[in-house]
Amino acid sequence: PLRILYSGVLTPRKRVAALLEAVKLAVTQQLEIEVAIVGGGPELENLVQQAAQLGISDRINFVGALPYEQGLVWYEWADCLVLPSDTTETWGLVVNEAMASDLPCIVSDACGCWSSADNCGNRRRAMSSAKCAMRHEDAPHRITSSRRCGARG
């Protein structure tokens, strides 16, 4: 399965709800997908309820907040990092952490870091809606394949 990581605080501006909507679309297209959400915050209960309502709870692992070193373990687990934040995200430190781990990144084009989230020349940008994010049927294959460019292969 494609392993997707979100790491950060769980607030509305981080738009994790949009990630869950995209996961639902992927599941309806029979894509094997797993998501780890590392972090805590005021939206946690809403997101857990949303995952249940969408019928994707079995695909989502709400890991919770972790100390820095323990959080880095999830970068090794993942095939890509997703940062779907809105315009209030000036950079996104998790993108630096992911890139340092040779992990492809999918970031909102509203984030300050999206132009630098480039993995082997293959920029990945999250679209404004879940429907747009999943419009390319081969997207999971391309994300997984692009990882071969990194040191971890």
Side-chain angles (χ1 to χ4, degrees), residues 25-48:
L25 285 173
V27 169
T28 62
Q29 294 178 19
Q30 307 299 319
L31 298 174
E32 290 295 321
I33 195 166
E34 296 175 7
V35 179
I37 297 177
V38 176
E43 285 293 296
L44 176 60
E45 285 305 314
N46 292 338
L47 295 168
V48 169

Short mmCIF file of all heavy atoms in Angstrom, two decimals, residues 25-48:
data_model
loop_
_atom_site.label_atom_id
_atom_site.label_comp_id
_atom_site.label_asym_id
_atom_site.label_seq_id
_atom_site.Cartn_x
_atom_site.Cartn_y
_atom_site.Cartn_z
N LEU A 25 -11.55 9.23 -1.47
CA LEU A 25 -11.59 9.10 -2.93
C LEU A 25 -10.65 7.99 -3.42
O LEU A 25 -10.99 7.22 -4.31
CB LEU A 25 -11.23 10.42 -3.60
CG LEU A 25 -12.31 11.49 -3.55
CD1 LEU A 25 -11.77 12.81 -4.08
CD2 LEU A 25 -13.54 11.07 -4.33
N ALA A 26 -9.47 7.92 -2.82
CA ALA A 26 -8.51 6.89 -3.22
C ALA A 26 -9.06 5.50 -2.91
O ALA A 26 -8.93 4.58 -3.72
CB ALA A 26 -7.18 7.11 -2.50
N VAL A 27 -9.67 5.35 -1.76
CA VAL A 27 -10.23 4.06 -1.36
C VAL A 27 -11.36 3.65 -2.30
O VAL A 27 -11.47 2.48 -2.69
CB VAL A 27 -10.69 4.10 0.11
CG1 VAL A 27 -11.52 2.88 0.47
CG2 VAL A 27 -9.48 4.22 1.03
N THR A 28 -12.20 4.60 -2.69
CA THR A 28 -13.29 4.27 -3.61
C THR A 28 -12.76 3.86 -4.98
O THR A 28 -13.45 3.17 -5.73
CB THR A 28 -14.29 5.44 -3.78
OG1 THR A 28 -13.62 6.56 -4.32
CG2 THR A 28 -14.94 5.79 -2.46
N GLN A 29 -11.52 4.25 -5.30
CA GLN A 29 -10.89 3.85 -6.55
C GLN A 29 -10.06 2.58 -6.37
O GLN A 29 -9.24 2.23 -7.21
CB GLN A 29 -10.01 4.98 -7.09
CG GLN A 29 -10.80 6.19 -7.50
CD GLN A 29 -9.91 7.32 -7.99
OE1 GLN A 29 -8.76 7.12 -8.35
NE2 GLN A 29 -10.45 8.52 -8.02
N GLN A 30 -10.27 1.90 -5.24
CA GLN A 30 -9.60 0.62 -4.94
C GLN A 30 -8.10 0.75 -4.76
O GLN A 30 -7.36 -0.21 -4.98
CB GLN A 30 -9.92 -0.42 -6.03
CG GLN A 30 -11.40 -0.62 -6.32
CD GLN A 30 -12.17 -1.10 -5.09
OE1 GLN A 30 -11.70 -1.93 -4.35
NE2 GLN A 30 -13.36 -0.56 -4.89
N LEU A 31 -7.61 1.91 -4.37
CA LEU A 31 -6.18 2.09 -4.14
C LEU A 31 -5.85 1.64 -2.72
O LEU A 31 -6.57 1.95 -1.77
CB LEU A 31 -5.77 3.55 -4.32
CG LEU A 31 -5.99 4.12 -5.71
CD1 LEU A 31 -5.70 5.62 -5.73
CD2 LEU A 31 -5.12 3.41 -6.73
N GLU A 32 -4.77 0.90 -2.60
CA GLU A 32 -4.30 0.47 -1.28
C GLU A 32 -3.55 1.64 -0.67
O GLU A 32 -2.54 2.09 -1.22
CB GLU A 32 -3.39 -0.75 -1.40
CG GLU A 32 -4.13 -2.00 -1.81
CD GLU A 32 -5.12 -2.45 -0.75
OE1 GLU A 32 -4.79 -2.36 0.45
OE2 GLU A 32 -6.23 -2.88 -1.11
N ILE A 33 -4.03 2.13 0.45
CA ILE A 33 -3.47 3.33 1.05
C ILE A 33 -3.54 3.24 2.56
O ILE A 33 -4.50 2.71 3.11
CB ILE A 33 -4.23 4.57 0.50
CG1 ILE A 33 -3.51 5.86 0.78
CG2 ILE A 33 -5.65 4.61 0.98
CD1 ILE A 33 -4.06 7.02 -0.03
N GLU A 34 -2.50 3.72 3.22
CA GLU A 34 -2.44 3.82 4.67
C GLU A 34 -1.96 5.22 5.01
O GLU A 34 -1.08 5.75 4.33
CB GLU A 34 -1.44 2.82 5.26
CG GLU A 34 -1.79 1.37 5.03
CD GLU A 34 -0.70 0.43 5.53
OE1 GLU A 34 0.26 0.90 6.19
OE2 GLU A 34 -0.80 -0.77 5.25
N VAL A 35 -2.52 5.80 6.07
CA VAL A 35 -2.15 7.15 6.47
C VAL A 35 -1.80 7.15 7.94
O VAL A 35 -2.54 6.61 8.77
CB VAL A 35 -3.30 8.14 6.21
CG1 VAL A 35 -2.92 9.54 6.67
CG2 VAL A 35 -3.71 8.14 4.75
N ALA A 36 -0.67 7.77 8.26
CA ALA A 36 -0.30 8.02 9.65
C ALA A 36 -0.40 9.52 9.89
O ALA A 36 0.19 10.32 9.15
CB ALA A 36 1.12 7.53 9.94
N ILE A 37 -1.15 9.89 10.90
CA ILE A 37 -1.28 11.30 11.28
C ILE A 37 -0.58 11.46 12.61
O ILE A 37 -1.06 10.99 13.65
CB ILE A 37 -2.76 11.71 11.35
CG1 ILE A 37 -3.38 11.57 9.96
CG2 ILE A 37 -2.90 13.13 11.90
CD1 ILE A 37 -4.85 11.87 9.88
N VAL A 38 0.59 12.09 12.55
CA VAL A 38 1.42 12.30 13.73
C VAL A 38 1.20 13.72 14.22
O VAL A 38 1.48 14.67 13.48
CB VAL A 38 2.91 12.05 13.41
CG1 VAL A 38 3.77 12.36 14.63
CG2 VAL A 38 3.13 10.62 12.95
N GLY A 39 0.67 13.85 15.41
CA GLY A 39 0.42 15.17 15.98
C GLY A 39 -0.86 15.18 16.77
O GLY A 39 -1.67 14.25 16.69
N GLY A 40 -1.03 16.21 17.52
CA GLY A 40 -2.24 16.38 18.30
C GLY A 40 -2.73 17.81 18.15
O GLY A 40 -2.07 18.64 17.54
N GLY A 41 -3.90 18.07 18.70
CA GLY A 41 -4.44 19.41 18.64
C GLY A 41 -5.94 19.42 18.74
O GLY A 41 -6.58 18.38 18.87
N PRO A 42 -6.52 20.61 18.66
CA PRO A 42 -7.95 20.76 18.91
C PRO A 42 -8.86 20.08 17.89
O PRO A 42 -10.02 19.84 18.18
CB PRO A 42 -8.15 22.28 18.88
CG PRO A 42 -6.98 22.84 18.16
CD PRO A 42 -5.85 21.89 18.42
N GLU A 43 -8.36 19.73 16.73
CA GLU A 43 -9.19 19.07 15.71
C GLU A 43 -9.19 17.55 15.79
O GLU A 43 -9.87 16.90 15.00
CB GLU A 43 -8.73 19.49 14.31
CG GLU A 43 -9.15 20.89 13.93
CD GLU A 43 -10.65 21.03 13.79
OE1 GLU A 43 -11.24 20.38 12.90
OE2 GLU A 43 -11.24 21.79 14.57
N LEU A 44 -8.43 16.97 16.71
CA LEU A 44 -8.27 15.52 16.75
C LEU A 44 -9.61 14.79 16.77
O LEU A 44 -9.85 13.91 15.93
CB LEU A 44 -7.42 15.09 17.94
CG LEU A 44 -7.26 13.58 18.12
CD1 LEU A 44 -6.60 12.94 16.89
CD2 LEU A 44 -6.46 13.27 19.37
N GLU A 45 -10.48 15.12 17.70
CA GLU A 45 -11.76 14.40 17.81
C GLU A 45 -12.61 14.57 16.55
O GLU A 45 -13.22 13.61 16.08
CB GLU A 45 -12.54 14.84 19.04
CG GLU A 45 -11.96 14.27 20.33
CD GLU A 45 -11.86 12.75 20.31
OE1 GLU A 45 -12.83 12.07 19.90
OE2 GLU A 45 -10.80 12.22 20.69
N ASN A 46 -12.62 15.77 15.98
CA ASN A 46 -13.37 15.99 14.74
C ASN A 46 -12.83 15.13 13.60
O ASN A 46 -13.59 14.58 12.80
CB ASN A 46 -13.33 17.46 14.32
CG ASN A 46 -14.09 18.36 15.26
OD1 ASN A 46 -14.99 17.91 15.98
ND2 ASN A 46 -13.74 19.63 15.28
N LEU A 47 -11.51 15.00 13.53
CA LEU A 47 -10.89 14.21 12.47
C LEU A 47 -11.15 12.72 12.66
O LEU A 47 -11.40 12.00 11.68
CB LEU A 47 -9.40 14.50 12.39
CG LEU A 47 -9.05 15.94 11.98
CD1 LEU A 47 -7.57 16.22 12.20
CD2 LEU A 47 -9.44 16.19 10.52
N VAL A 48 -11.12 12.25 13.89
CA VAL A 48 -11.43 10.85 14.18
C VAL A 48 -12.88 10.56 13.76
O VAL A 48 -13.16 9.54 13.12
CB VAL A 48 -11.19 10.52 15.66
CG1 VAL A 48 -11.75 9.15 16.03
CG2 VAL A 48 -9.70 10.59 15.99
#
